[in-house]
């Protein structure tokens, strides 16, 4: 980070910019995708839980109230994920902090002295991409079947679960596909065992912003 007299601002498409904050310089990268949370509990766990609940609803009779609650959760989660992928996040570095500003969420502020590891690594799915697509397709089929079987009774758990699956699983595919576009990612581990995964076209540039070669 150099010079506080110049001002360049990050464009939404993801350009890096240099500006001046009250206490010093700052660098900004816009248009990034971010996953953030405790290490060992990624969004995949939530996805698997919802998938299990949807399959149970499609294959077995459950209370309609449970189905409506599940559908509301799915709609909220899917809407937030879709909006987040479309709007993207902003990554800001100052001499003392890292700030990640995500749509619909409070900013994540990470003190630099809380960072224990910064790494640029290959972006690998835990399973092959074709296998993920096949698995989602196999789960999507019962969801469509649930809609068809419960079409005559929209209040039934079978119809509600099928509708939820028809919304949720395409969103999962879109979310995953948007992230597989990037061959490398930047990961930031903190002392409180949180992990931030930054998806951007040039993660090495952000690593240099953080002072990592």
């Amino acid at each position: 980070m150099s010079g506080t007299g110049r001002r360049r601002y990050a464009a939404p498409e993801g350009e890096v910019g240099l500006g001046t904050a009250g206490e010093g310089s700052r660098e900004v990268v816009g248009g990034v995708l971010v996953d953030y949370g405790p290490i060992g509990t990624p969004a995949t766990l939530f996805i698997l839980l919802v998938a299990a609940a949807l399959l149970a609803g499609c294959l077995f009779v459950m209370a309609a109230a449970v189905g409506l609650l599940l559908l509301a959760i799915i709609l909220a989660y899917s809407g937030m994920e879709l909006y987040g992928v479309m709007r993207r996040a902003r990554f800001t570095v100052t001499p003392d902090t890292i700030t990640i500003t995500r749509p619909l969420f409070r900013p994540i502020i990470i003190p630099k002295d809380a960072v224990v590891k910064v790494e640029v690594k290959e972006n690998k799915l835990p399973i092959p991409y074709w296998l993920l697509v096949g698995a989602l397709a196999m789960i999507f089929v019962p969801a469509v079947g649930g809609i068809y079987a419960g079409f005559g009774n929209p209040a039934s758990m079978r119809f509600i679960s099928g509708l939820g699956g028809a919304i949720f699983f395409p969103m999962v595919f879109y979310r995953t596909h948007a992230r597989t576009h990037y061959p490398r990612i930047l990961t930031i581990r903190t002392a409180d065992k949180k992990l931030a995964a930054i998806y951007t076209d040039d993660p090495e540039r952000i690593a240099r912003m953080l002072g990592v070669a």
Side-chain angles (χ1 to χ4, degrees), residues 186-205:
L186 176 79
T187 59
I188 302 172
R189 293 176 182 261
T190 64
D192 58 352
K193 297 184 178 180
K194 296 288 183 64
L195 177 68
I198 314 299
Y199 299 81
T200 180
D201 290 325
D202 193 356
E204 290 84 0
R205 187 163 54 180

Side-chain angles (χ1 to χ4, degrees), residues 1 27 91-94 97-99 110 112 115 117-119 186-188 198 203-213:
M1 289 175 278
E27 293 186 88
F91 188 91
T92 305
V93 179
T94 69
T97 63
I98 299 166
T99 302
I110 305 173
K112 279 193 173 180
V115 176
K117 186 176 183 180
V118 176
E119 182 181 13
L186 176 79
T187 59
I188 302 172
I198 314 299
E204 290 84 0
R205 187 163 54 180
I206 299 182
R208 291 192 296 268
M209 289 166 53
L210 297 173
V212 179

Side-chain angles (χ1 to χ4, degrees), residues 169-190:
F169 296 117
M171 184 281 300
V172 171
F173 174 80
Y174 178 66
R175 180 187 190 279
T176 304
H177 180 71
R179 284 156 173 75
T180 56
H181 170 74
Y182 303 97
R184 296 178 306 281
I185 62 172
L186 176 79
T187 59
I188 302 172
R189 293 176 182 261
T190 64

